[in-house]
Amino acid sequence: MARMPDSFETRKESGFSEQRVHEAFRRVRNRLVKYDPDEVVFRCIAKLNERPSDPVRQLESYPPWRLLLLAKWALVHGEVPATPRRLTERAFDDLNRRMWDLEGVLRLPSEYETLLLWLKGVAFQQFGLQREFNRTTFSRQSLLFGPLKENHKLKAWFSEQCGITIGDFVDLSALLMVALVGDERKSVSVDELVKVFTDWDRSTVERYLDLLGPGLAELRLRLREEQNTSLPVSLEYYESSPLRRTPLLKHNGRYFPFSPVLLARSLETFIYDTLSEADRYLFLNLFWKVFQRYVGSSVLRLGGQTLAEGDLKKLPGKGKVVDYLCLDGSLRVLVEAKAVEMPYSGKVGPRAETVKRATRNSVLKGIEQGFDTIARLRGQGDAKEAGNSHFEDYLLIVTYKDLFMGNGVMFRDAVARDKLNEMVALHDGEPPIPFDHIYIMSIDDFDLLAETIAKGRASLADVLRHAVDADSSSSTRKYTFEQHIMAKCPGAQFPEWLVCEFHDILNRNTSGLVETNK
């Protein structure tokens, strides 16, 4: 049985203290400054790139989120001392233990307002660092941005920001995953990749690698400029690593991945992340229509009759409408596309009020649109039309990235009961859509649902009813919709159209791929 952090026994009776967390952080920082910070960073990289015989034990002893935070702190807080100590294996393990002790004084799950708020923080911090490269998430970027006209503002903006076109980025990223992760390389150089990628000129390859991998000095400066000094360490601990934006590190002419998994997560959504971080408001204004059209193409795979936003706006009555309505027998499924991810404050925030503000324009607005749409449908007054009262109604809010908010009941109880009660009051005190019929899911989960239905593995009604039934009991409740799909249809396959797109990306590039020794 693993030993608990030394600090755990001390704090479990006295409760959470931000001061105690800062003291634990100071013990980490005071030890960090005794070593060359660059040596600490490369030791973290070496550990993150190990391929241990016992991955579970490695995950328990050296969780990647801990090592990535240690590397970040070495870059942000570290300075080369006049006489640096040698970073032996024992010394590195001591740093790891101090990080572990810090974890022992963080909030316990019972010290959050609700369990979902704790789980949300853990999910954003850890879930993405425990799965391999997702070729379908990656290739979706090609389908979203590739068909846009060359003079489209999103394409031009990315080229201005990154010095490389979206098309070149997608192609080179697929090849990089083959060369770095597939071949299990520890690092690459521009010359090595040019020899392998014979169809690509050196300057393009170098611009691409420099985009992903700044040098130590540049990365250190960038992280220090971005560091929010007012953010408590207890919240910084749960952040998704900012190193995801620069998953390679350039050193002595070579590019080292911080970890294969971090590189995978970065490349899968790099285009979205880069433009969103440059100007979130401008990006969403340009991207939401692109995302809405893509979601619509997946809605069509669900079968049944589909009504789009334009059709729904013709319904009698007032109020907002959703993007799509799927009618299948007695089933009425509303789909609202939200081209968003959880804002930083919502990812790390431990308070319901913070998360409520962070989801105001996504989940809360989506529920309002769903309620209004059903009210307008019911207002038609003709039993032959979609508005009769005998339908089984669902609302699926589809986001670009997972918000880790579960279903409508979880969201209501953990985050926004007061606001949702106000919405319900506008509809005679009864929610037009039962809260347990509302699901907040990522586009990954929605596409998996669409593929499962299109392939005849289950009906849409069967999957949705299975999810509602499972979530009615704490013993069978699921956190993501993917878990419901897999429970209902074990072995459900990745969306075929995305797998085909990934193969197309590789096929159009591997004609010039030259095999080399690892």
Side-chain angles (χ1 to χ4, degrees):
M1 181 176 178
R3 180 178 64 85
M4 296 300 295
D6 295 340
S7 47
F8 181 76
E9 289 299 327
T10 304
R11 62 69 42 91
K12 69 178 182 179
E13 294 182 359
S14 57
F16 172 76
S17 164
E18 202 71 67
Q19 180 181 352
R20 192 177 294 115
V21 175
H22 187 74
E23 289 171 354
F25 161 70
R26 193 171 65 245
R27 287 192 288 273
V28 175
R29 185 185 59 193
N30 289 348
R31 186 52 59 96
L32 257 180
V33 299
K34 297 181 184 298
Y35 306 104
D36 183 333
D38 296 354
E39 190 177 0
V40 175
V41 171
F42 277 100
R43 186 63 64 87
C44 290
I45 289 175
K47 187 64 71 174
L48 285 162
N49 280 271
E50 286 181 353
R51 291 173 172 82
S53 58
D54 188 347
V56 174
R57 183 176 179 83
Q58 181 84 344
L59 182 65
E60 292 173 347
S61 301
Y62 298 98
W65 48 91
R66 183 194 296 165
L67 293 177
L68 289 169
L69 182 58
L70 180 59
K72 173 197 168 182
W73 281 349
L75 289 162
V76 172
H77 303 292
E79 297 288 351
V80 180
T83 308
R85 292 184 181 180
R86 194 165 73 90
L87 187 63
T88 62
E89 192 68 31
R90 183 175 180 179
F92 184 73
D93 284 344
D94 178 65
L95 282 173
N96 184 53
R97 183 189 61 79
R98 289 168 185 259
M99 294 289 287
W100 189 34
D101 285 342
L102 186 152
E103 294 165 11
V105 295
L106 296 172
R107 287 181 181 86
L108 298 173
S110 60
E111 291 171 323
Y112 284 77
E113 293 174 7
T114 65
L115 186 62
L116 182 66
L117 294 175
W118 169 76
L119 188 56
K120 174 262 306 174
V122 171
F124 280 114
Q125 178 202 42
Q126 300 180 15
F127 283 13
L129 295 174
Q130 298 186 67
R131 57 182 175 86
E132 299 303 316
F133 179 60
N134 189 324
R135 56 185 177 170
T136 57
T137 303
F138 171 79
S139 58
R140 187 180 294 111
Q141 294 180 112
S142 181
L143 294 181
L144 284 166
F145 298 100
L148 301 178
K149 294 181 179 180
E150 289 307 312
N151 63 351
H152 192 283
K153 289 182 179 180
L154 286 171
K155 280 192 168 180
W157 188 14
F158 184 85
S159 296
E160 292 169 6
Q161 288 281 320
C162 302
I164 188 172
T165 66
I166 283 179
D168 285 351
F169 175 84
V170 170
D171 289 349
L172 282 169
S173 295
L175 293 174
L176 181 66
M177 289 303 296
V178 172
L180 249 182
V181 179
D183 289 347
E184 297 186 2
R185 298 170 185 253
K186 299 293 186 181
S187 65
V188 293
S189 70
V190 174
D191 289 339
E192 287 171 354
L193 289 190
V194 170
K195 289 178 182 177
V196 178
F197 306 159
T198 57
D199 289 343
W200 295 87
D201 64 88
R202 178 186 174 86
S203 62
T204 302
V205 173
E206 187 167 20
R207 284 199 307 275
Y208 169 75
L209 290 175
D210 284 343
L211 173 65
L212 298 177
L216 281 162
E218 181 184 346
L219 180 57
R220 180 178 289 111
L221 180 62
R222 184 183 301 183
L223 289 173
R224 288 179 176 179
E225 288 177 345
E226 295 173 352
Q227 181 74 358
N228 183 352
T229 55
S230 64
L231 185 72
V233 174
S234 63
L235 300 188
E236 183 184 4
Y237 172 81
Y238 283 107
E239 71 179 3
S240 301
S241 176
L243 297 172
R244 178 173 171 170
R245 297 194 295 272
T246 52
L248 302 180
L249 181 62
K250 185 179 182 180
H251 184 66
N252 291 337
R254 301 193 66 81
Y255 298 82
F256 298 80
F258 276 93
S259 85
V261 174
L262 188 74
L263 176 63
R265 292 296 82 72
S266 175
L267 297 182
E268 286 167 2
T269 58
F270 189 89
I271 300 168
Y272 178 100
D273 295 338
T274 298
L275 297 181
S276 179
E277 288 168 9
D279 188 328
R280 186 170 186 266
Y281 180 77
L282 175 60
F283 171 68
L284 290 178
N285 275 343
L286 294 171
F287 181 64
W288 72 270
K289 271 289 186 185
V290 176
F291 186 66
Q292 183 188 57
R293 284 196 298 270
Y294 177 87
V295 172
S297 68
S298 293
V299 170
L300 293 176
R301 293 182 169 91
L302 299 175
Q305 178 188 358
T306 299
L307 299 179
E309 181 182 20
D311 303 310
L312 296 172
K313 284 182 176 179
K314 297 175 184 178
L315 292 169
K318 298 179 180 180
K320 302 176 174 64
V321 296
V322 295
D323 293 322
Y324 302 100
L325 168 63
C326 180
L327 293 164
D328 188 1
S330 64
L331 193 71
R332 191 161 57 179
V333 181
L334 282 66
V335 180
E336 174 61 22
K338 296 296 184 186
V340 299
E341 63 172 330
M342 180 73 81
Y344 183 86
S345 60
K347 290 180 181 179
V348 302
R351 306 296 179 198
E353 188 61 35
T354 302
V355 180
K356 182 170 67 175
R357 287 196 300 269
T359 55
R360 179 180 55 201
N361 292 322
S362 54
V363 181
L364 284 170
K365 185 177 179 181
I367 293 175
E368 181 183 14
Q369 290 169 269
F371 282 2
D372 286 354
T373 302
I374 292 298
R376 292 178 69 169
L377 284 166
R378 290 174 178 170
Q380 292 185 117
D382 187 339
K384 296 181 180 180
E385 299 293 335
N388 77 58
S389 60
H390 302 294
F391 279 92
E392 183 181 355
D393 295 325
Y394 292 86
L395 169 63
L396 309 181
I397 299 173
V398 182
T399 57
Y400 186 75
K401 293 188 180 182
D402 208 324
L403 304 187
F404 296 113
M405 287 286 101
N407 69 3
V409 173
M410 298 178 199
F411 178 74
R412 178 197 64 194
D413 294 348
V415 175
R417 182 181 291 275
D418 56 346
K419 183 62 179 177
L420 292 175
N421 283 344
E422 291 176 10
M423 290 187 194
V424 170
L426 297 175
H427 296 277
D428 299 323
E430 287 292 330
I433 305 170
F435 282 107
D436 62 348
H437 284 209
I438 298 173
Y439 280 92
I440 305 147
M441 66 180 71
S442 69
I443 186 59
D444 283 329
D445 290 1
F446 187 69
D447 275 349
L448 181 63
L449 174 65
E451 173 72 3
T452 302
I453 305 309
K455 284 293 190 294
R457 296 290 306 279
S459 71
L460 181 58
D462 284 345
V463 175
L464 292 173
R465 289 166 187 161
H466 170 85
V468 171
D469 182 62
D471 286 340
S472 66
S473 169
S474 59
S475 62
T476 54
R477 189 172 298 147
K478 306 292 189 294
Y479 190 39
T480 67
F481 205 81
E482 177 190 14
Q483 294 171 327
H484 285 301
I485 297 171
M486 291 302 184
K488 176 65 178 175
C489 304
Q493 300 296 307
F494 285 123
E496 183 179 12
W497 67 95
L498 293 171
V499 174
C500 289
E501 179 65 19
F502 184 71
H503 289 159
D504 287 347
I505 295 168
L506 288 181
N507 289 337
R508 69 173 177 250
N509 287 285
T510 51
S511 60
L513 198 64
V514 176
E515 286 192 18
T516 62
N517 293 328
K518 294 180 184 178

